[in-house]
Every structure is written in C-alpha cells, then in structure tokens.
Amino acid sequence: MSRRPASLSRRLGDGAGIPFMGSLNPKSRPSPFLSIGLVLVGAFLIIGYVYSGSGGSNADKVALSRLEAGVSCSSEIYQALPYLKKAYRDSMHKVLHVGPDSCAVVSKLLKEEDTEAWGLEPYDLDDSDANCKSLVRKGIVRVADIKFPLPYRSKSFSLVIVSDALDYLSPRYLNKTLPEFSRVSADGFVILSGYPGQRRVKVAEMSKFGRPAKLRSSSWWIRFFVQTKLEENEAATKKFELAAAKKAYQSSCQIFHLKSLH
C-alpha cells in the first residue's frame, strides 16, 4: 500500500520566531505599524525557510504545493503513470479510467506508446471542452452512473484505474460497484482515494456529486476489501512501490492494487 506523505507543518515557539521581539521596552507603546511590520517580516522569513534549499527537499516543496492547491486523485494519475507502467507493463495496453476529469486522463493515456484508453465519467460533463466532446462523440469517453452495472462486457479491459469516484459512494453502493470493476478488468484494477482530512479540489461541486466526499482510512478500505472478497495484487503493489522508491515518489492519494475476480 502507498504510504501517506509526511506532514510538512513546522511549529514555532511563542514569539521566538519573530526577531527583535525581546528587545522592545515593555513600558513603551510600539506603533501599530511596527507590530504589523514585525509580523510580516516573520512571515517572510518562515516562507523563505520552507522554500530555501536548506529548508526541505524538492519532493517536500511539490507535496506542499499540492496540499495548498487541494488534492485531485485524477490529476495524481499523471504523476503515478510511470510507476503504474513499471508495475503492470503489458496490462497497460487497454485501460479504462473511471472518475471525474476522465477526458483529460484518457487524453494523457492515449499519448502513451502502445496504449489504448477509454473513460467513464460518473458525473455530467457540463463544461467540457472541444477535445472532450470529440472523445464523447467517438464513444471513447462515456457518462454513466457507476452505482449501476457498468456498460461493458466482462474482461473488456486489461486494467481499470479508478480515481475520485468512490469517495462519494456509500458502502451500500460500493458493494455493487467494486465487483463491477473486477468484472470488466482482466488483470486487476487500481483505486486512488484521498486521505482523511485532505481538502478536495472540487468542494464547490458537491451538489453535482450528491453528497460530500467521505475520505476513508487505509484500514477502513482494507477491511472493506476483505468483506467483499477482493484480494490485493501483491506482485503489482511491490513493483509499483519499488519503482516509486527509486525516484522518491510520494503519492498525495492512497493507491490500492486489487486482483480481478475470475
């Protein structure tokens, strides 16, 4: 299983991080402009420390920027793709992506050598661009409610990648949806899910999803997989983690590799 990135927060002492604070005369009444200036100086020093070469690695800076911007597991696929290719190799030749922003993910996958890709968008494509409309017209990307049987035959794809779609489903529907991913995949499926406490990119679209995202812990997911008789794809997990470790890649999302049930 992928590990959660280490926290990037840094704690400061009470007033210790603000220079010259101890040199102020307690009997004097400093100008409010001086106080504001000191706070701003302290803030700039902190930001400079975090982003300086000695304040953290490049990986930390990337992770920090992702956390500040909000987390999208569909976007995380772009970062994870090289390691997914290492883990699945030939199984990456016929891929189905399920989740929001499926047009963008499919367009990225189609640029990969020897890869055919399709997409299933669980929500309406209200503001789709010309490229997305073209993919929909060609039948490469479809819109369908994943709470019901998927519109594909068994083993239609070698691999299914799911992102940002399951966090909005209750266990009642997960019981029906996960077996469907297993049914339409020949070599397994990959789930990317947010960590509890993360800020989601698409909070404003809650009405579109019908309910707020329920970000579950890895232990919750593992128990659920056991209850639904889904098994971890240990071989793919090890290959993925080994390839990621060589490049110091840390995912902003939980990544689960599961076997197909056939």
Side-chain angles (χ1 to χ4, degrees):
M1 302 297 173
S2 58
R3 297 182 178 177
R4 185 174 185 176
S7 171
L8 299 177
S9 61
R10 303 179 183 276
R11 297 190 177 186
L12 300 174
D14 294 336
I18 302 178
F20 313 116
M21 205 62 176
S23 63
L24 295 176
N25 188 334
K27 294 183 180 180
S28 64
R29 299 181 64 181
S31 166
F33 295 104
L34 176 61
S35 300
I36 295 172
L38 290 173
V39 171
L40 290 175
V41 170
F44 282 122
L45 288 174
I46 294 170
I47 294 172
Y49 176 72
V50 170
Y51 284 94
S52 66
S54 60
S57 66
N58 288 333
D60 287 341
K61 295 174 188 176
V62 172
L64 179 59
S65 64
R66 290 185 194 174
L67 290 173
E68 289 174 344
V71 177
S72 165
C73 291
S74 290
S75 297
E76 187 67 28
I77 294 175
Y78 308 149
Q79 308 296 326
L81 188 55
Y83 316 110
L84 289 172
K85 292 172 67 176
K86 291 283 188 181
Y88 289 95
R89 297 186 180 276
D90 292 342
S91 296
M92 290 290 293
H93 74 275
K94 198 171 184 180
V95 180
L96 172 68
H97 172 258
V98 180
D101 300 324
S102 199
C103 287
V105 174
V106 168
S107 296
K108 173 68 174 177
L109 290 172
L110 288 174
K111 294 177 182 178
E112 299 295 319
E113 187 177 358
D114 299 326
T115 299
E116 298 178 57
W118 287 264
L120 188 63
E121 170 69 54
Y123 312 104
D124 292 335
L125 296 170
D126 296 327
D127 301 319
S128 56
D129 57 21
N131 177 61
C132 187
K133 291 177 181 177
S134 175
L135 292 172
V136 172
R137 281 197 306 269
K138 295 175 182 177
I140 296 175
V141 173
R142 303 174 67 171
V143 178
D145 192 337
I146 61 173
K147 295 193 293 293
F148 300 97
L150 302 182
Y152 304 106
R153 295 179 180 178
S154 297
K155 299 185 182 181
S156 292
F157 309 97
S158 54
L159 184 70
V160 174
I161 301 175
V162 187
S163 61
D164 288 327
L166 302 182
D167 296 332
Y168 296 91
L169 295 183
S170 66
R172 170 189 173 189
Y173 290 113
L174 286 173
N175 276 317
K176 301 177 181 179
T177 302
L178 290 179
E180 279 293 289
F181 297 148
S182 175
R183 180 184 66 81
V184 302
S185 62
D187 300 328
F189 59 103
V190 182
I191 294 174
L192 287 85
S193 176
Y195 285 105
Q198 284 179 329
R199 182 167 63 89
R200 304 312 301 237
V201 169
K202 297 190 173 183
V203 174
E205 297 186 15
M206 190 184 77
S207 59
K208 179 178 179 180
F209 300 136
R211 55 178 286 146
K214 179 71 173 180
L215 302 181
R216 303 167 173 106
S217 66
S218 60
S219 59
W220 187 96
W221 279 113
I222 291 170
R223 286 194 303 269
F224 192 83
F225 296 149
V226 172
Q227 292 171 6
T228 51
K229 299 182 180 180
L230 291 171
E231 296 181 13
E232 178 189 10
N233 189 335
E234 294 182 2
T237 299
K238 289 178 181 178
K239 291 177 182 178
F240 180 89
E241 292 181 347
L242 180 62
K246 288 181 178 179
K247 297 294 184 178
Y249 166 70
Q250 290 183 325
S251 174
S252 297
C253 300
Q254 302 179 86
I255 302 180
F256 302 101
H257 305 264
L258 300 168
K259 293 180 178 179
S260 298
L261 295 176
H262 299 301

